[in-house]
Structures are given as C-alpha cells and as structure tokens.
Amino acid sequence: MSLPPLSVLDLAPIPEGGTARDALDRSRALARHAEDLGYRRFWLAEHHNMTGIASAATALVIGHVAAGTRAIRVGAGGIMLPNHAPLTVAEQFGTLATLFPDRIDLGLGRAPGTDGATLRALRRDYGAADIFPQDVLEVQAFLDDPQPGQAVRAVPGAGTRVPLWILGSSLFGAELAGMLGLPYAFASHFAPDALLPALETYRARFRPSAQLEKPYAMVAINGIAADSEAEARRLFTTPQQAFTNLLRGTRGLLPAPIDDIETYWSGPEKRQASRMLARSLVGTAGTIRAGLERLTAETGADEIIVASAIHDHAARLRSYAILAEAHGALDGVEEGRRSAA
C-alpha cells in the first residue's frame, strides 16, 4: 500500500534533568536527522507559560532549525493567531522566507494555546479568537503582492506568499480551511474524536484557491517506535504521564519513562488520557507499518505528521528512524541519491 509523506511535529520538549537550551539543540539535531531520513516537514508549535516546552518564541526556533538544515521544510504547527497582530506574523514569516526561500510553512491556529492569565500577559483577550477568519485573510494579504495605494506593508513579507495552513481540532477550522481553499492539519494527536467528521467537512466545503487546487489534509498522530514492543510501550509511558499531569493541572518537564504506568494514574485518569492518546502508533517497525496503512485507509490523509514525546534524545532519534523505515521514506531518499549520482 502506498503511504502519504511523513513529517515531524516537535514541541521542543524540555526533559527532566535537561534545560531549555538542551531542548532547542535537540530539536535542531532532530530536524537534521529527519531531513536525512526523508521526512517532508519539521513543524514547531507555539505554547506559552509551560515549563516543559521551549518553543514559545516559535518564529525564532524555526529560524534556529532552518539554519541548521539544508532543504527540509520548516514551519509552525502552529502560530496561535489570537496571540499576535497579523502584521507581526507576516513580518516574522516574511523574514524567515527571505532567509530560507521556499522552505517555510505557516500553520495558523485559533486557540490561544495557554491560560487566561498568560493570555492577558500577552496583551491579548479571548475575543481575539472571534475574528480569527479575518486575521487569517489579513496575514494572507500582507504576504501577497502589495496593492496600489496600500498604506501598510510587511517588510520583509510582501510578495513572499508563504504557504498558509489552517490547524484545528474541531469542525470550525475544517470549514474555514475549506472555504479559503487552504491545506488543513487536524490535531488528532491530542483531540482525536472529531478527526473523521472534520476531514469530511473540510473536503465537502473546499473551494479551489490561488494557493491550492484541491483539498490537502494532514493528520497528526503520536508515534513511538523501538526495536521491541516492550521498549516502545515503556517509552510511551512518558506521554501517558504527561497527559495525566495535564488532567491534574500539574504540568512540568517531560517525565522519564516508568516500568508500570498503572501505578501512576487512576482509573478515570487512564480512561481520559487514553482517549486523548487514541491516535497513537506504538511498537516495532511492523506494528507501525500496519498502523500507518490503517490510518491512511481510514482517513485518506495526504500527509501524516508525527509527534514523539520521548524523554531520551537517542531513543527519540531511533524512534523516528524506525518510523521512516516502516514508512519507506528512507528508501525514497536513497533512491533519489542514487539517481542524482
């Protein structure tokens, strides 16, 4: 079965025992690794006031990663637009596109990605989410060719036409992406319940645009791969703990794996965290391959983006290598290299 391209979703996690600098350097190293393995994109996500995530200044981290790689597309998965003025976003990503031509993606999300107190510290308000569609159009206009008499321009930015994506975990984003004719990425790695209805809505509402002629849907999943099923399940206890901590309101650094997750969570916590992590592939290359095939058949995804919250850096690199092997991405890279030679 032919599988869609694979990409990487990274939050620059800060592991227990590590620092923010460690996280940022490991993200850059992971991006180099993903590039060599044949992944299509490397996206970073905006979160604020979270002690275990180092990607709050998302545009800066994208620049850090893009400068350390050669050709892989690097972008935001995503920028939480209610936190920012559209002109500022256009200037930041126009600058990135100027520095790294034809390599930058801009995924836009409607959620603030943080709590109310932090939102106020960002000098934004909850009402900003209500004008998300207008803000998307404003960003798009700033990145397009300037119009005669246009009083305000993004410099750099105007004329770069950085590709926009709409991110979502509900039907709202699906409808908007379809109406605007933009590619759509669904956050099923933490909100799996609406995945299939959202994809159906997006495809039904899609209207061709200057950026995109037909629907293009990306599905986000959690992927934890190892050389044995037992080791993969043990590594998976890290995101299981992290999601349990989220439910408890006790976010912190990315926890190390444990031998028995059942001693960590209660019955209700297990049910809720497991439901949020339902779109996860965990196991060896054979298990991952079968899961990718099922996911592709079920969703018709045009691309799959994989988040891997693994505490140990070497184990995370190994996980993405096994994922690429299971997918066949590395074979395509090697074939391209042989053809070029």
Side-chain angles (χ1 to χ4, degrees), residues 19-41:
T19 66
R21 179 57 189 263
D22 294 332
L24 295 170
D25 287 345
R26 289 173 180 180
S27 288
R28 185 162 162 163
L30 177 60
R32 291 192 188 112
H33 184 61
E35 183 171 65
D36 290 340
L37 291 169
Y39 286 83
R40 175 165 290 187
R41 312 172 202 276

Side-chain angles (χ1 to χ4, degrees), residues 79-84 86 107-112 124 126-139 165-168 172-174 176-177 180 182 184:
I79 291 294
M80 300 298 103
L81 194 48
N83 299 340
H84 309 277
L108 297 170
R110 179 171 173 255
R124 307 298 286 174
Y126 283 110
D130 297 335
I131 58 170
F132 177 69
Q134 296 94 312
D135 282 352
V136 171
L137 292 173
E138 193 170 344
V139 171
W165 291 67
I166 299 296
L167 279 58
F172 180 91
L176 181 63
L180 298 181
L182 295 176
Y184 178 59

Side-chain angles (χ1 to χ4, degrees), residues 97-292:
T98 301
L99 292 170
F100 309 103
D102 301 318
R103 292 186 57 202
I104 302 299
D105 298 323
L106 175 51
L108 297 170
R110 179 171 173 255
T114 190
D115 57 80
T118 307
L119 192 64
R120 289 190 293 274
L122 290 165
R123 299 298 188 265
R124 307 298 286 174
D125 60 67
Y126 283 110
D130 297 335
I131 58 170
F132 177 69
Q134 296 94 312
D135 282 352
V136 171
L137 292 173
E138 193 170 344
V139 171
Q140 189 176 52
F142 279 130
L143 293 171
D144 205 346
D145 291 332
Q147 300 300 306
Q150 183 174 329
V152 180
R153 300 185 182 188
V155 183
T160 57
R161 298 188 187 85
V162 177
L164 301 186
W165 291 67
I166 299 296
L167 279 58
S169 57
S170 67
L171 299 187
F172 180 91
E175 292 181 356
L176 181 63
M179 291 169 56
L180 298 181
L182 295 176
Y184 178 59
F186 189 86
S188 41
H189 62 300
F190 69 84
D193 292 349
L195 171 61
L196 297 181
L199 293 179
E200 182 180 359
T201 297
Y202 168 60
R203 290 164 179 150
R205 297 292 181 90
F206 185 83
R207 300 293 180 269
S209 68
Q211 180 177 327
L212 196 63
E213 292 183 357
K214 59 183 181 179
Y216 192 94
M218 176 191 283
V219 173
I221 62 168
N222 300 289
I224 306 286
D227 292 305
S228 72
E229 296 287 338
E231 178 60 14
R233 299 305 306 181
R234 182 174 183 275
L235 293 175
F236 190 50
T237 63
T238 289
Q240 287 174 322
Q241 291 176 79
F243 274 71
T244 302
N245 294 342
L246 182 66
L247 295 173
R248 293 173 179 174
T250 57
R251 297 169 180 156
L253 303 182
L254 189 70
I258 56 179
D259 292 329
D260 185 8
I261 188 64
E262 301 301 330
T263 63
Y264 190 81
W265 54 18
S266 67
E269 288 172 340
K270 176 181 179 178
R271 288 190 292 273
Q272 180 67 2
S274 298
R275 188 172 70 83
M276 295 172 72
L277 288 165
R279 293 289 179 176
S280 300
L281 300 182
V282 182
T284 60
T287 301
I288 297 294
R289 176 71 192 196
L292 289 172

Side-chain angles (χ1 to χ4, degrees), residues 55-75:
S55 56
T58 315
L60 290 177
V61 183
I62 289 170
H64 175 66
V65 168
T69 50
R70 303 178 307 275
I72 192 170
R73 297 195 67 88
V74 186

Side-chain angles (χ1 to χ4, degrees), residues 318-333:
R318 179 60 183 151
S319 178
Y320 275 109
I322 294 172
L323 282 159
E325 175 190 349
H327 175 273
L330 188 56
D331 293 339
V333 171

